């Protein structure tokens, strides 16, 4: 199969990029063709995993830029981030090869699946969700805690079109699985991440 893997941040030293690169490596071993699309280069920390993996950088058409301070700066920053994410997702979908059998989107890159599905209706979209979305964490500030949940409530409806194209969701734990099922998602499966003993073993 020909598989595209999409992620926004591949240079972060976190579990998500390591999980993604490990998946790409195993798919290559199985004989699949894999292309990774990202908005930044592979971090040096994951250099040994990235060897042999084709990673194409698609830079954001408009940089999100730093957030301004204060409540209204927070609102403007959130709106600009949303706009930039949508523009980037469109640009990635246009830059991708037209014949992928599977598109595996990670975390906040989920919008790419929607735009690519328009180009190639036969492709299967699988979302790897490593971090929970669609809920607000209270900040202990009145204005933030009033508008924050409203923002996520609006997102819940505006994002429905992006989620409709997904053929399945892979999550890491029971809590995220229950949250997704409560939101009406079907075909949610728990796929546990393994541990890289060779890199992290230290008695």
């Amino acid at each position: 199969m020909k598989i595209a893997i999409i992620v926004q941040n591949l240079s972060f030293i976190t579990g998500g990029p390591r999980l993604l690169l490990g998946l790409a490596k195993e798919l290559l071993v199985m004989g699949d063709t894999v292309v990774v699309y990202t908005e930044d280069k592979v971090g040096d920390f994951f250099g040994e995993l990235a060897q042999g993996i084709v990673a194409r950088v698609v830079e954001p058409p408009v940089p999100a830029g730093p957030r301004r301070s204060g409540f209204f700066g927070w609102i403007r920053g959130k709106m600009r981030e949303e706009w930039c994410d949508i523009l980037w997702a469109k640009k990635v979908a246009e830059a991708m090869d037209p014949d992928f059998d599977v598109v595996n989107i990670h975390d906040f890159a989920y919008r790419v699946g929607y735009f690519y599905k328009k180009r190639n209706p036969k492709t299967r979209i699988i979302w790897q969700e490593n971090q929970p979305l669609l809920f607000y964490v209270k900040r202990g500030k009145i204005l933030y805690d009033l508008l924050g949940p409203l923002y996520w409530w609006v997102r819940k409806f505006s994002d429905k079109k992006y989620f409709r194209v997904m053929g399945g969701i892979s999550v890491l734990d029971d809590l995220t699985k229950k949250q997704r099922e409560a939101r009406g998602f079907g075909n949610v499966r728990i796929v546990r991440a393994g541990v890289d003993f060779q890199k992290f073993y230290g008695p």
Side-chain angles (χ1 to χ4, degrees):
M1 287 195 298
K2 187 171 181 179
I3 301 168
I5 303 180
I6 320 294
V7 66
Q8 281 181 295
N9 301 307
L10 199 52
S11 61
F12 284 7
I13 305 175
T14 60
R18 172 161 284 278
L19 181 70
L20 182 151
L21 292 169
L23 170 65
K25 206 82 168 178
E26 291 301 316
L27 289 170
L28 288 172
V29 170
M30 292 168 61
D32 295 304
T33 300
V34 180
V35 182
V36 176
Y37 292 87
T38 178
E39 71 176 36
D40 57 9
K41 66 181 182 65
V42 178
D44 294 336
F45 187 78
F46 302 115
E48 83 288 353
L49 268 180
Q51 289 178 2
I53 294 173
V54 177
R56 297 178 184 165
V57 175
V58 181
E59 294 182 358
V62 181
R67 282 193 196 177
R68 295 181 182 178
S69 59
F71 177 68
F72 292 105
W74 173 68
I75 292 176
R76 282 194 297 270
K78 293 297 288 183
M79 291 174 65
R80 185 172 177 81
E81 282 176 10
E82 290 292 308
W83 179 60
C84 291
D85 284 350
I86 292 170
L87 289 180
W88 182 76
K90 288 180 178 178
K91 187 177 178 181
V92 173
E94 290 168 2
M96 292 168 64
D97 297 344
D99 57 346
F100 285 110
D101 300 300
V102 176
V103 175
N104 177 221
I105 45 179
H106 283 241
D107 299 327
F108 295 98
Y110 61 90
R111 294 181 179 94
V112 175
Y114 169 79
F115 294 113
Y116 186 76
K117 189 84 170 175
K118 285 184 171 184
R119 288 186 62 200
N120 181 1
K122 293 181 180 179
T123 195
R124 187 166 176 81
I125 310 295
I126 304 296
W127 186 20
Q128 172 64 49
E129 189 186 2
N130 301 317
Q131 42 194 328
L133 303 176
L134 304 176
F135 69 89
Y136 177 75
V137 178
K138 288 188 177 181
R139 296 168 176 241
K141 298 178 181 179
I142 294 174
L143 287 176
Y144 289 84
D145 289 344
L146 282 173
L147 285 185
L150 177 61
Y151 163 74
W152 285 110
W153 185 82
V154 171
R155 279 282 302 275
K156 184 174 75 171
F157 292 97
S158 65
D159 280 350
K160 274 187 176 180
K161 65 179 183 181
Y162 302 117
F163 298 140
R164 250 184 241 122
V165 303
M166 294 175 188
I169 302 176
S170 171
V171 299
L172 300 177
D173 54 59
D174 293 295
L175 175 61
T176 312
K177 183 176 188 291
K178 288 174 182 175
Q179 287 176 340
R180 290 297 141 257
E181 289 173 339
R183 295 282 187 186
F185 289 99
N187 196 16
V188 183
R189 299 185 187 183
I190 297 172
V191 180
R192 306 279 187 194
V195 177
D196 186 344
F197 281 99
Q198 288 183 333
K199 187 171 182 65
F200 295 108
Y201 180 68

